[in-house]
Amino acid sequence: MSILGLGKQQPPLKTKDCPECEGKGYIICPECDGKGKFYPFNSISYCYHCNGKGKYTCDNCHGLGWVKVN
Ligand SMILES: [Zn+2]
Ligand SMILES: [Zn+2]
């Protein structure tokens, strides 16, 4: 009589750096070049693309910086 499953290790999950964000988990906003805001006519306007943050979470890896390898 054997005990199935006991002591059997799951193989380690294979991951790789996210190619979209190069492993950072976020993407520098291309609209504002990471600044988050513009200064037109001596006023401040926040970048609509990144909500003034200058970067946004990578959709491809959801901010993790890595993706599973199939
Ligand atoms: Zn932006
Ligand atoms: Zn990513």
Side-chain angles (χ1 to χ4, degrees), residues 33-44:
D33 214 16
K35 294 181 186 71
K37 24 184 154 9
F38 303 103
Y39 300 97
F41 312 111
N42 294 322
S43 62
I44 297 178

Side-chain angles (χ1 to χ4, degrees), residues 21 25-31 49-50 53-59:
C21 61
Y26 61 86
I27 291 172
I28 299 293
C29 179
E31 293 293 319
H49 206 70
C50 59
K53 293 189 184 75
K55 60 188 180 184
Y56 48 89
T57 305
C58 176
D59 281 340

Side-chain angles (χ1 to χ4, degrees), residues 5-40:
L6 253 190
K8 199 175 179 186
Q9 296 271 329
Q10 288 267 337
L13 204 63
K14 281 192 177 178
T15 63
K16 62 172 181 175
D17 280 359
C18 175
E20 293 293 317
C21 61
E22 295 171 336
K24 291 193 291 287
Y26 61 86
I27 291 172
I28 299 293
C29 179
E31 293 293 319
C32 61
D33 214 16
K35 294 181 186 71
K37 24 184 154 9
F38 303 103
Y39 300 97

